[in-house]
Amino acid sequence: MVEHMAEYYSGLSVDNTLTFGVALVMGFIAVIACFGGILFQMKKWGYGSAGYGKEGQKGSIGGFLKLLLSQIFDKKHEQGVLTTLVMDILIQRRILKRSVLRWVMHITIFWGWIMLFVFSMGIFVVELLSKAGIYHAEVHPLVENFPLIVTLNSVFGYVLFIGVLIAIARRLFIKEVREGTTFYDLFLIWGLFVIVITGFISEGIRYAGTEYATALTDLWSLGISNTAAPPAALFHVVISLLFCVAMIPFTKYIHIIATPLSILAHGGGE
Amino acid sequence: MARREPSLTTERFTTSQLLEIDACTRCGECLNWCPVLEEIEEETFTPEGREGMTDKQKMDFSPKNKLTGMREMLNKGYGLRAKLFGPRQIPEDDVLKLKDEIYHCTTCGICSTVCEASINTVEIWESFRRNAVMHKRGPYGKQTGFVDLLASHNVFAADQEDRLCWVPEDIEIKDKADVAYFTGCTAAFRMQRVGVATTRVLQALDIPFTMLGPEEWCCVSVLIRTGQLELAEEFVNHNVNAMIDKGVKTVIYACAGCHRTSRIDWPKFYEGGDLPFEILAISEYMDRLLDDGTLSESDFDWKNPLKKRVTFHDSCHTGRHCGVYDAPRRIYDMVPGAEFVEMARTRELQRCCGAGGGIKAGVSDLALKMAQKRVQDAELVNADIITCTCPFCRRNIMDGINAMDTNIIFKDQQEILAEAMGLDLTLPDNPYIDKQM
Ligand code: HEM
Ligand code: SF4
Ligand code: SF4
């Protein structure tokens, strides 16, 4: 068993350096694509003018940031930037005011996604430290040294899952919403769906036949033995990096950058 | 080979507006509120050249799809592929279709109010229209006439020397004063009753005021809303400087269109940036005087109790755009005998009467249908009078009433005040008497 014991929390094996290496390289590419893409988008926004009715600028990131910041910190806003940040971005009361269902949908997606993102990053760092010999784990798999994170990871996985299911159901079953749905919308929610599902499956496979297996993880393992843990984990990691990071600037994911900035620029409020 | 220009350029959009176009999450909330979309969906109105649309095609007139249309077109010109291989050309017909969709909008602003992404849609529509005018795609229908009309410095091609021809002889207009009443073209030439009522009320309340007279040029609302900016700067600077010459500290308005334009748009065009005086709706000004004790309720010398059910239509421009909701209501509450009722949709979620955004001139049958919807709202609460603080809403709502079988009448806020105070609203003889609406 031990030779297949997964080191990396999502199942990448310590023995199989190729798998880990691939994940590392993909991570790099994804982060570069994401940052490069955001810069590209800012440059695109920078083709606009510095003020209402004024001449355009030739793709100036500085010009874009200048107007945006002046709008965000405009003293004419009724509430402070911090209030907007908490009430309208972290709690999203503008969605709540319009629809409780959509608020539940989004707040679960939002917090589910953010927390999973943070945990993944955290464990990735632990993994690197362990590889560098700086951190020595008592227990294997590595991730089992952090039972709280493992539990929270599952909890937020389900939180995200609930939101994604509501989003999918809304776009499938409400006629007006379905008719107005395009590939742009579908890519985002089905992309998340695939990420969540592959996450659960790879976790199920990782635990299959080990002392950590539960009825639930066995269900998700689809009966696959944990010898398949590294490729399953790799699949999940690559999909997540592609959909969740690399594609942010070029798909509807852009809203996780543009929407909060728009809300801040207009001073939020109900 | 020179690179081809994108079919839809970023010209006239601000950097933040380009960001906002990408910020639309397509949540669909705005679809529930857009009053133009409502008429199109119910087929009470069909845009020219778009007969027989499917339900899906009708959606192209929704704020959501307009933003999506802009996003897709802009990305064809400025996206990653465009940067690598050159802008992808969009058939001109498609751009013109989007243009028509964006001109089918009263700039009522409700889509912005409910927008979960806080997008300032109205200013994006206006920037698009400006871009359209630059590229000779806009404006729409009769809106082209505004620029020529304004050679006269007002939208009716009237003689500016007549700007004060409606003012009763016994009204004293100070040469210089802290307060100026900006009449607006409509009250000066077509709804002089509103002007007379306003000046009478001010005088009865002992509020000294000045007016610009022939030096009061159009506020340029019609140009800004329809994207025709050529004259905006000149007109705004002229009006602001004329106010400065009169030593004005506060300009008050009985026209929502002029009020919004002065408050929100003038600072964007005025050479000095922020205006050196304050812009207030007349109800806001009275509210302030009542608050600071300069005016008390007993100063209103009521003579004729109203004995009617009154409902108030918040104008989009003074309401949603400027956030003034309580002040006008406070004024109605004082009028003796008036039974004030609210319609189902009021304040920031009010339903637009259909007059604004160049729709009255550009797509008048749409404006009329929308006005009728608003009158029906008033009928539902059994109102006798529908009232507002905007001569432009007044004109459209009255057209709506005339096209319907209803007993409701329209009265401007200042008319209601003046009548209840027993003030004389007779118009002095003037060249525009038979043009009154
Ligand atoms: C950072 C602040 C964010 C803001 C202000 C924001 C705002 C919004 C809004 C207003 C909607 C439309 C909701 C509705 O239909 O009523 C939306 C949709 C969506 N958001 Fe966010 N969002 C943010 C971050 C995120 C993050 C981090 C994710 C994670 C992936 C996310 C995923 C989604 C998804 C999947 C939808 C689509 C739902 C659908 O199409 O039915 N958002 N967002
Ligand atoms: S401003 Fe009003 S009329 Fe125009 S798109 Fe928005 S909701 Fe529709
Ligand atoms: S309400 Fe705002 S975010 Fe939602 S679809 Fe309309 S414009 Fe887009």
Side-chain angles (χ1 to χ4, degrees), chain A residues 52, chain B residues 107 120 122-123 126 224-225 253 255-266 268 279 316-318 321-322:
Chain A
Y52 197 80
Chain B
T107 63
N120 186 340
V122 169
E123 294 197 350
E126 288 175 6
I224 292 177
R225 303 284 90 78
Y253 294 77
C255 171
C258 303
H259 173 228
R260 190 267 190 217
T261 306
S262 309
R263 180 130 137 191
I264 300 178
D265 299 303
W266 282 10
K268 297 172 193 155
I279 303 282
C316 304
H317 287 130
T318 289
H321 293 203
C322 297

Side-chain angles (χ1 to χ4, degrees), chain A residues 88-89 92 95 102 105-106 109-110 113-114 167 170-171 185 188-189 192 252-253 255-256 259-260 263, chain B residues 25 27 116-117:
Chain A
D88 300 316
I89 291 169
Q92 298 165 3
I95 309 184
R102 294 209 310 264
M105 168 192 90
H106 195 267
I109 296 178
F110 177 83
W113 189 87
I114 290 194
R170 190 175 86 97
R171 296 222 171 245
D185 306 312
L188 182 60
I189 49 179
L192 283 175
K252 193 173 163 182
Y253 265 116
H255 92 273
I256 75 177
T259 308
I263 294 174
Chain B
T25 62
C27 69
E116 295 179 357

Side-chain angles (χ1 to χ4, degrees), chain B residues 125-145:
Chain B
W125 312 145
E126 288 175 6
S127 292
F128 180 98
R129 290 175 179 194
R130 218 157 282 160
N131 180 295
V133 169
M134 271 182 85
H135 290 270
K136 309 240 173 335
R137 291 169 174 147
Y140 191 88
K142 284 192 200 147
Q143 294 168 357
T144 29

Side-chain angles (χ1 to χ4, degrees), chain A residues 40-41 44-57 60 63-65 67-68 71 76 94-99 102 170-171 175-177 179-182 184-185 250 252 254-255 257-259 261-270, chain B residues 10-20 22-29 32-33 55-56 59 64-65 71-72 74-75 78-81 83 112-120 122-123 126-127 130 224-225 229 260 265 268-269 274 348-349:
Chain A
F40 179 82
Q41 289 287 18
K44 181 187 93 184
W45 297 328
Y47 275 96
S49 63
Y52 197 80
K54 301 217 169 73
E55 292 297 318
Q57 310 163 99
S60 151
F64 161 72
L65 291 174
L67 179 65
L68 183 72
Q71 289 179 339
K76 291 190 197 112
R94 287 185 73 92
I95 309 184
L96 182 59
K97 185 142 192 228
R98 305 265 69 95
S99 154
R102 294 209 310 264
R170 190 175 86 97
R171 296 222 171 245
K175 183 169 168 278
E176 303 86 72
V177 185
E179 283 176 356
T181 296
T182 61
Y184 186 71
D185 306 312
F250 307 105
K252 193 173 163 182
I254 189 67
H255 92 273
I257 293 160
T259 308
L261 291 179
S262 164
I263 294 174
L264 282 168
H266 295 120
E270 283 181 73
Chain B
T10 54
E11 286 156 300
R12 295 293 175 269
F13 290 98
T14 69
T15 51
S16 295
Q17 287 179 330
L18 295 175
L19 163 95
E20 288 170 65
D22 279 326
C24 170
T25 62
R26 300 176 39 85
C27 69
E29 183 62 28
N32 303 331
W33 300 94
D55 286 353
K56 217 173 155 174
M59 284 298 157
K64 173 180 107 174
N65 287 26
R71 173 171 54 74
E72 289 174 349
L74 287 169
N75 280 341
Y78 300 87
L80 200 54
R81 264 180 68 165
K83 286 292 152 202
S112 182
T113 298
V114 301
C115 178
E116 295 179 357
S118 276
I119 299 171
N120 186 340
V122 169
E123 294 197 350
E126 288 175 6
S127 292
R130 218 157 282 160
I224 292 177
R225 303 284 90 78
L229 286 194
R260 190 267 190 217
D265 299 303
K268 297 172 193 155
F269 296 98
D274 283 345
E348 75 272 19
L349 295 179

Side-chain angles (χ1 to χ4, degrees), chain B residues 100-342:
Chain B
D100 284 353
E101 285 147 18
I102 289 171
Y103 273 99
H104 278 77
C105 160
T106 61
T107 63
C108 79
I110 198 161
C111 50
S112 182
T113 298
V114 301
C115 178
E116 295 179 357
S118 276
I119 299 171
N120 186 340
T121 45
V122 169
E123 294 197 350
I124 294 182
W125 312 145
E126 288 175 6
S127 292
F128 180 98
R129 290 175 179 194
R130 218 157 282 160
N131 180 295
V133 169
M134 271 182 85
H135 290 270
K136 309 240 173 335
R137 291 169 174 147
Y140 191 88
K142 284 192 200 147
Q143 294 168 357
T144 29
F146 289 144
V147 176
D148 288 341
L149 288 172
L150 283 181
S152 63
H153 298 150
N154 62 73
V155 280
F156 299 107
D159 187 346
Q160 272 292 108
E161 291 305 316
D162 294 338
R163 194 108 189 168
L164 295 180
C165 67
W166 50 272
V167 182
E169 261 178 22
D170 55 322
I171 295 283
E172 187 191 351
I173 303 172
K174 298 265 187 246
D175 183 39
K176 290 198 172 207
D178 285 351
V179 174
Y181 164 42
F182 190 98
T183 334
C185 306
T186 312
F189 296 108
R190 293 292 183 274
M191 268 172 215
Q192 297 173 332
R193 209 175 138 84
V194 174
V196 172
T198 308
T199 49
R200 287 252 180 248
V201 169
L202 287 172
Q203 182 143 313
L205 294 174
D206 284 332
I207 300 172
F209 65 95
T210 181
M211 288 168 77
L212 297 184
E215 295 310 318
E216 180 186 294
W217 292 5
C218 174
C219 71
V220 292
S221 171
V222 289
L223 296 184
I224 292 177
R225 303 284 90 78
T226 59
Q228 307 177 85
L229 286 194
E230 305 89 304
L231 300 173
E233 219 170 279
E234 181 195 349
F235 275 53
V236 169
N237 282 319
H238 172 89
N239 281 329
V240 175
N241 290 329
M243 289 292 175
I244 294 172
D245 288 347
K246 294 234 175 235
V248 171
K249 298 202 177 88
T250 306
V251 188
I252 57 176
Y253 294 77
C255 171
C258 303
H259 173 228
R260 190 267 190 217
T261 306
S262 309
R263 180 130 137 191
I264 300 178
D265 299 303
W266 282 10
K268 297 172 193 155
F269 296 98
Y270 172 53
E271 56 210 356
D274 283 345
L275 306 181
F277 42 76
E278 219 183 356
I279 303 282
L280 295 177
I282 192 165
S283 62
E284 261 183 307
Y285 181 63
M286 288 182 178
D287 181 57
R288 176 182 299 178
L289 297 186
L290 286 164
D291 274 348
D292 69 17
T294 316
L295 209 62
S296 80
E297 290 203 20
S298 58
D299 292 326
F300 293 81
D301 185 10
W302 305 114
K303 300 257 172 28
N304 310 314
L306 189 59
K307 296 207 196 89
K308 295 271 190 240
R309 252 171 107 85
V310 180
T311 193
F312 174 56
H313 166 70
D314 291 274
S315 65
C316 304
H317 287 130
T318 289
R320 252 192 309 272
H321 293 203
C322 297
V324 179
Y325 302 114
D326 292 326
R329 287 176 168 76
R330 179 175 191 183
I331 307 293
Y332 293 115
D333 278 345
M334 291 191 308
V335 178
E339 187 192 343
F340 190 80
V341 281
E342 291 281 13

